[in-house]
């Protein structure tokens, strides 16, 4: 991938202004961190490398290091299972805990029966990413099933799933989207191990994706939120700006059950050792929404970490990196 020098210079100027360091020293340090720590300029900015020692920088999972983990532990011949939502739903049927339907291969009569059982649905493009094209439908808003069927077909939303009625505690946090977790696992010697969890929170829309206006924050190993949530405008939120619910200290319900669920799921395709699972907590328990064989990089920025330490030390308890 070609380096976007124009954007790198823009980010360097922003960091220089924020850190009160010269542009030249900032830009030079970015290059140094790219070479030594495989840190892109967004890593440098997001994780505040400008305020870290060399020893502290070495503890942070950068995008370069994350790519190396994926290359080492995720067999590309098996990635299609996670990239193809239909294939994923078939392989992980025991972990979804909800009905789903392939609109492209079903008849209208099958869709009609599905809708009779699940009057509220989520429809999405099977190849979509970042929450793009995901919509919630209530059959009561349509004259008949045929009208809804035609709408979904026209929008090429070929994957339909039963709407997840989320746990009441998460409704208090934000009720208009399913507030999910990105839960990271590693499969070591055939056994699934839990690494960390990120709580994604809706903020004005029907999805919680960061790229679609949502926020995210971090939990500890007991499911308790430890730091404010951050949105795409880099604004931190101690409380939810719409519901007023306190975010820091919020306890994710049924967290232990969710950990057990993803650890079992991690053992299904051991050839993909490192996975980021999107997990919802329904009123009946945790459900897996999808798995990511190319997990993103999530860790607390330095100013939100007491000891300014990244996630690498924890990862090294389970994997050779």
């Amino acid at each position: 991938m070609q380096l976007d020098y124009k954007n790198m210079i823009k980010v360097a100027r922003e960091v220089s202004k924020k850190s009160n360091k010269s542009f030249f020293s900032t830009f030079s340090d970015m290059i140094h961190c790219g070479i030594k720590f495989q840190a892109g300029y967004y890593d440098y900015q997001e994780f505040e490398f400008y305020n870290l020692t060399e020893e502290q920088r070495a503890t942070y999972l950068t995008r370069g290091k994350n790519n190396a983990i994926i290359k080492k532990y995720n067999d590309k011949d098996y990635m299609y299972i996670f990239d193809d939502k239909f294939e994923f739903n078939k392989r992980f049927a025991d972990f979804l805990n909800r009905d789903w339907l392939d609109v492209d291969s079903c008849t209208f009569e099958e869709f009609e029966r599905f809708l009779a059982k699940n009057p509220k649905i989520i429809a999405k493009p099977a190849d979509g990413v970042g929450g793009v094209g995901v919509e919630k439908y209530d059959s009561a808003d349509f004259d008949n099933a045929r009208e809804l069927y035609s709408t979904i077909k026209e929008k090429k939303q070929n994957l339909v799933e039963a709407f997840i009625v989320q746990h009441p505690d998460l409704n208090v946090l934000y009720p208009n989207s399913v507030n999910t977790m990105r839960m990271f696992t590693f499969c070591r010697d055939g056994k699934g191990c839990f690494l960390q969890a990120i709580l994604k929170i809706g903020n004005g829309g029907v999805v919680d994706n960061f790229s679609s206006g949502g926020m995210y924050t971090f939990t500890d190993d007991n499911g308790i939120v430890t730091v404010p949530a951050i949105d795409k405008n880099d604004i931190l939120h101690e409380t939810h700006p719409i519901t007023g619910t306190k975010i820091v200290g919020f306890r994710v319900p049924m967290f232990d059950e969710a950990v057990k669920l993803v650890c079992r799921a991690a053992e299904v395709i051991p050839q993909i050792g490192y996975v980021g699972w999107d997990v919802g907590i329904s009123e009946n328990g945790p459900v897996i929404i999808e798995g990511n064989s190319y997990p993103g990089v999530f860790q607390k920025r330095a100013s939100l970490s007491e000891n300014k330490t990244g996630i690498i030390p924890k990862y090294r308890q389970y994997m050779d990196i």
Side-chain angles (χ1 to χ4, degrees), residues 121-125 133-137 152 157-161:
I121 59 174
I122 291 289
K124 64 183 79 170
V134 178
E135 290 188 68
K136 174 186 174 183
Y137 294 104
I152 290 171
Q157 296 168 321
N158 50 350
L159 175 58
V160 171
E161 298 177 337

Side-chain angles (χ1 to χ4, degrees), residues 167-277:
H167 194 283
D169 291 359
L170 285 163
N171 274 333
V172 172
L173 187 59
Y174 180 72
N176 296 328
S177 75
V178 177
N179 306 299
T180 64
M181 289 185 289
R182 173 64 61 87
M183 305 186 76
F184 293 79
T185 60
F186 182 69
C187 188
R188 181 177 62 180
D189 299 327
K191 181 174 176 58
C193 305
F194 172 67
L195 298 174
Q196 65 164 335
I198 314 303
L199 177 62
K200 299 188 286 184
I201 308 168
N203 184 24
V206 298
V207 294
D208 60 2
N209 297 74
F210 189 66
S211 58
S212 300
M215 309 179 286
Y216 72 89
T217 184
F218 299 81
T219 77
D220 62 16
D221 289 346
N222 296 308
I224 299 173
V225 175
T226 57
V227 295
I230 185 170
D231 64 24
K232 65 179 181 179
N233 296 315
D234 206 35
I235 298 174
L236 296 173
H237 300 274
E238 290 265 356
T239 59
H240 198 287
I242 294 177
T243 65
T245 301
K246 188 176 180 182
I247 294 174
V248 178
F250 179 84
R251 180 186 292 273
V252 178
M254 308 186 81
F255 185 81
D256 290 344
E257 290 90 336
V259 170
K260 293 175 182 176
L261 184 72
V262 295
C263 285
R264 286 195 294 111
E267 298 167 2
V268 174
I269 312 291
Q271 294 86 354
I272 303 294
Y274 178 46
V275 181
W277 307 92

Side-chain angles (χ1 to χ4, degrees), residues 18-31:
K18 185 176 182 179
S19 63
N20 292 318
K21 297 177 181 178
S22 73
F23 168 79
F24 178 77
S25 65
T26 299
F27 190 77
S28 299
D29 197 38
M30 275 185 174
I31 295 173

Side-chain angles (χ1 to χ4, degrees), residues 21-212:
K21 297 177 181 178
S22 73
F23 168 79
F24 178 77
S25 65
T26 299
F27 190 77
S28 299
D29 197 38
M30 275 185 174
I31 295 173
H32 163 72
C33 288
I35 296 171
K36 185 172 181 179
F37 302 107
Q38 303 174 58
Y41 52 85
Y42 281 127
D43 290 328
Y44 187 92
Q45 180 185 47
E46 182 179 357
F47 304 130
E48 301 172 341
F49 269 35
Y50 49 88
N51 281 335
L52 298 177
T53 66
E54 294 289 91
E55 290 76 15
Q56 290 168 336
R57 289 170 169 176
T59 68
Y60 276 77
L61 180 66
T62 61
R63 282 159 179 80
K65 291 180 179 179
N66 195 58
N67 291 344
I69 292 173
I70 292 166
K71 184 177 180 180
K72 182 173 183 177
Y73 291 110
N74 290 1
D75 188 332
K76 62 182 181 180
D77 291 337
Y78 290 84
M79 285 188 173
Y80 76 94
I81 297 171
F82 292 81
D83 297 337
D84 184 327
K85 289 184 174 63
F86 293 134
E87 185 67 27
F88 179 86
N89 281 11
K90 292 173 185 175
R91 296 291 189 107
F92 292 92
D94 293 341
F95 303 89
L96 303 180
N97 295 326
R98 67 190 181 283
D99 296 333
W100 65 279
L101 192 67
D102 179 352
V103 177
D104 286 342
S105 64
C106 78
T107 65
F108 169 70
E109 289 72 24
E110 288 173 323
F111 176 81
E112 193 173 31
R113 288 195 294 271
F114 182 92
L115 201 62
K117 184 180 178 182
N118 305 286
K120 292 183 180 181
I121 59 174
I122 291 289
K124 64 183 79 170
D127 58 355
V129 294
V132 177
V134 178
E135 290 188 68
K136 174 186 174 183
Y137 294 104
D138 188 336
S139 60
D141 297 331
F142 293 81
D143 291 338
N144 50 59
R146 177 70 70 177
E147 182 185 359
L148 177 52
Y149 180 73
S150 298
T151 298
I152 290 171
K153 293 285 282 186
E154 288 172 7
K155 293 185 177 183
K156 301 186 185 305
Q157 296 168 321
N158 50 350
L159 175 58
V160 171
E161 298 177 337
F163 180 71
I164 298 170
V165 179
Q166 75 175 343
H167 194 283
D169 291 359
L170 285 163
N171 274 333
V172 172
L173 187 59
Y174 180 72
N176 296 328
S177 75
V178 177
N179 306 299
T180 64
M181 289 185 289
R182 173 64 61 87
M183 305 186 76
F184 293 79
T185 60
F186 182 69
C187 188
R188 181 177 62 180
D189 299 327
K191 181 174 176 58
C193 305
F194 172 67
L195 298 174
Q196 65 164 335
I198 314 303
L199 177 62
K200 299 188 286 184
I201 308 168
N203 184 24
V206 298
V207 294
D208 60 2
N209 297 74
F210 189 66
S211 58
S212 300

